[in-house]
Amino acid sequence: MGHPPLRLPLCASVSLLGGLTFGYELAVISGALLPLQLDFELSCLEQESLVSSLLLGALLASLAGGFLIDRYGRKQAILGSNLVLLAGSLSLGLAGSLAWLVLGRSVAGFAISLSSMACCIYVSELVGPRQRGLLVSLYEAGITVGILLSYALNYALASAPRGWRHMFGWAAAPALLQSLSLLFLPAGADETTAHKDLIPLQGGETTKLGMERPRYSFLDLFRARDNMRGRTMVGLGLVLFQQLTGQPNVLCYASTIFHSVGFQGGSSAMLASVGLGAVKVVATLIALGLVDRAGRRMLLLAGCALMALSVSGIGLVSFAVPMDSGPSCLAVPNATKLSGIPGDSGLPIGLSPPPLPTTSKNQGEPVLSTSKKTKPRPGAGDPTAPPLRAVSTASPAPPSPAPERALLHWTALVCMMVFVSAFSFGFGPVTWLVLSEIYPMEIRGRAFAFCSSFNWAANLFISLSFLDLIGTIGLSWTFLLYGLTAVFGLGFIYLFVPETKGQSLAEIDQQFQRRWFALGFGHRQSTSGVQYSRIKVSAAF
């Protein structure tokens, strides 16, 4: 099993470096897009193709990656994805045409999506119940570090000749370090070992679990066998509510809200990225400290409740203070965010540069208006989607608001901060932690990938429908609708999502097998029909 004393720090490095690679690769496009546009004279459609190519690769990985993870193992999947990422980074760094850039981004998207799924599963299986929540959630912290690192490198390389080549190339560094850490870790946890401390006591007969493990097909995810249908309901419910609460789109107005409280021009965009990034870091650190103490269920309930209140607050404020303004498609998208993937950050990724000369007669026209319905453009909430027209902050400074209006502006700002924080210690890290725990080992990879594909699809749907929704019911009612959806999500979590803190994966599996639904998991209870007793074994951690 390698070196047990080093296993925890090595698992922590695998999780952290995996998240760092994920966050960096997603966010680096925000700084590279402007020089790429100048070097290759990219039109808006070509920019959309370049940015959305990452989504194409990620979607493919979410559909096929689960079978690769279950067939070849978690460790091999991570190592393979790092090799694929290296090839993608090489293609991007040496690219001489748009076609090579699109190919490199697609390959990189496949790699980070596959790695994200395999990494969460691998770490959750390799560590004990007391460390699992912290170490899996480190992936989310790594994403935040990766985003901020990409900001720093983008800024440092912005004036360098062909600096975008170096921006893309540096993504390989954390992947190589992660691969080095993996060399000192075992291929995976043995299911028999996972069950060795769990003995069923029923009718005086003592029989050890795990000697003969069942086999599952993909279709078993939708059958009543071992309550797989109930587990799938929990997994899909979490990923869908994570997106349907509007998280991909709410932060499109981050820069506008900062602008409304007095931060004019580029400073509002900078604060929207850096300020919300700092809030994100603090909230993620709080989640790391509480996930194994307060529990997954409590963080989800608290986070979803605060999201409902905060996004509804923004909607109510926007009734009195209109916040819709015209975007420009050639601005590097301040509204581009990381969303819909494991460890989803929900942050704006990039600072809006000064407007560039338009290359077509309609590129600079506003597309976001509550007065008329406009055709939605892809990418309203995802760096892996085409560049959305960013919320404009170049409009002239408004006259000094009345005290009442200024108070409303600051209220909207506080609500935005609360929304970011709530997502960062709730849905952000906990969704993927729960998904890595609730499925049997034999089908865990395919189940995780299946839920991940729905997460990508839901994110794309929310992003594409955003402008149509605003054009139909208005910005305020759109935010209030997201708040109502968060309330439904709160009810779903309360009724169906289990509390898994402090339980081994074998215990979680046994609890699900005996119930059609997860109802009643809110508190850890003694089981009926089968009682469990722990035996003391030599600890490897």
Side-chain angles (χ1 to χ4, degrees), residues 93 232 375 490:
T232 302
K375 183 178 179 180
L490 189 66

Side-chain angles (χ1 to χ4, degrees), residues 181-259:
S181 298
L182 283 168
L183 296 179
F184 299 96
L185 287 170
D190 185 0
E191 189 70 9
T192 301
T193 303
H195 283 85
K196 70 181 179 180
D197 64 334
L198 191 62
I199 293 180
L201 304 176
Q202 186 174 19
E205 181 182 0
T206 302
T207 306
K208 196 169 185 179
L209 294 178
M211 304 306 287
E212 294 183 5
R213 299 298 300 166
R215 294 183 178 273
Y216 297 94
S217 68
F218 178 76
L219 293 180
D220 284 329
L221 289 175
F222 315 102
R223 293 170 178 158
R225 176 191 177 189
D226 293 337
N227 193 21
M228 294 300 295
R229 187 184 300 155
R231 305 180 203 223
T232 302
M233 181 190 69
V234 170
L236 289 181
L238 285 176
V239 298
L240 291 176
F241 278 114
Q242 182 187 48
Q243 298 301 323
L244 296 177
T245 50
Q247 188 273 147
N249 295 328
V250 170
L251 293 182
C252 289
Y253 287 86
S255 180
T256 304
I257 292 175
F258 275 80
H259 181 80

Side-chain angles (χ1 to χ4, degrees), residues 25-342:
E25 192 65 64
L26 283 168
V28 70
I29 191 64
S30 66
L33 195 58
L34 178 58
L36 283 172
Q37 179 196 347
L38 297 176
D39 286 352
F40 292 93
E41 298 181 351
L42 301 179
S43 66
C44 279
L45 179 60
E46 289 171 332
Q47 291 180 64
E48 292 171 353
S49 300
L50 176 58
V51 180
S52 63
S53 58
L54 191 83
L55 174 62
L56 178 63
L59 280 173
L60 180 61
S62 68
L63 295 174
F67 295 93
L68 297 176
I69 293 170
D70 284 339
R71 174 66 178 83
Y72 297 103
R74 288 72 160 123
K75 179 179 177 179
Q76 296 302 319
I78 299 173
L79 290 172
S81 69
N82 287 342
L83 288 177
V84 174
L85 180 66
L86 184 62
S89 298
L90 189 64
S91 174
L92 288 166
L94 300 177
S97 66
L98 177 63
W100 279 104
L101 289 170
V102 170
L103 176 63
R105 288 284 289 172
S106 300
V107 170
F110 183 94
I112 62 174
S113 180
L114 176 61
S115 177
S116 68
M117 296 183 291
C119 189
C120 291
I121 296 173
Y122 180 69
V123 173
S124 72
E125 293 177 346
L126 212 58
V127 300
R130 289 176 295 179
Q131 300 90 18
R132 189 171 61 239
L134 172 63
L135 294 183
V136 175
S137 298
L138 273 177
Y139 196 91
E140 170 77 4
I143 290 179
T144 304
V145 174
I147 296 168
L148 297 180
L149 180 61
S150 72
Y151 288 162
L153 283 179
N154 287 349
Y155 180 79
L157 298 171
S159 58
R162 305 288 181 177
W164 57 268
R165 297 187 187 274
H166 301 284
M167 295 177 189
F168 287 128
W170 275 105
L176 292 175
L177 291 175
Q178 184 193 44
S179 298
L180 184 62
S181 298
L182 283 168
L183 296 179
F184 299 96
L185 287 170
D190 185 0
E191 189 70 9
T192 301
T193 303
H195 283 85
K196 70 181 179 180
D197 64 334
L198 191 62
I199 293 180
L201 304 176
Q202 186 174 19
E205 181 182 0
T206 302
T207 306
K208 196 169 185 179
L209 294 178
M211 304 306 287
E212 294 183 5
R213 299 298 300 166
R215 294 183 178 273
Y216 297 94
S217 68
F218 178 76
L219 293 180
D220 284 329
L221 289 175
F222 315 102
R223 293 170 178 158
R225 176 191 177 189
D226 293 337
N227 193 21
M228 294 300 295
R229 187 184 300 155
R231 305 180 203 223
T232 302
M233 181 190 69
V234 170
L236 289 181
L238 285 176
V239 298
L240 291 176
F241 278 114
Q242 182 187 48
Q243 298 301 323
L244 296 177
T245 50
Q247 188 273 147
N249 295 328
V250 170
L251 293 182
C252 289
Y253 287 86
S255 180
T256 304
I257 292 175
F258 275 80
H259 181 80
S260 70
V261 296
F263 299 103
Q264 306 300 331
S267 65
S268 62
M270 182 176 295
L271 284 173
S273 292
V274 179
L276 292 179
V279 171
K280 165 78 175 173
V281 170
V282 172
T284 303
L285 292 177
I286 293 174
L288 292 178
L290 293 179
V291 69
D292 285 317
R293 296 183 181 182
R296 291 79 156 131
R297 177 182 164 89
M298 183 58 65
L299 290 182
L300 283 171
L301 288 172
C304 194
L306 288 175
M307 287 176 69
L309 291 174
S310 57
V311 75
S312 298
I314 297 174
L316 293 174
V317 168
S318 64
F319 273 118
V321 185
M323 289 187 293
D324 51 327
S325 55
S328 168
C329 90
L330 288 181
V332 174
N334 177 60
T336 305
K337 298 172 297 305
L338 304 179
S339 175
I341 40 18

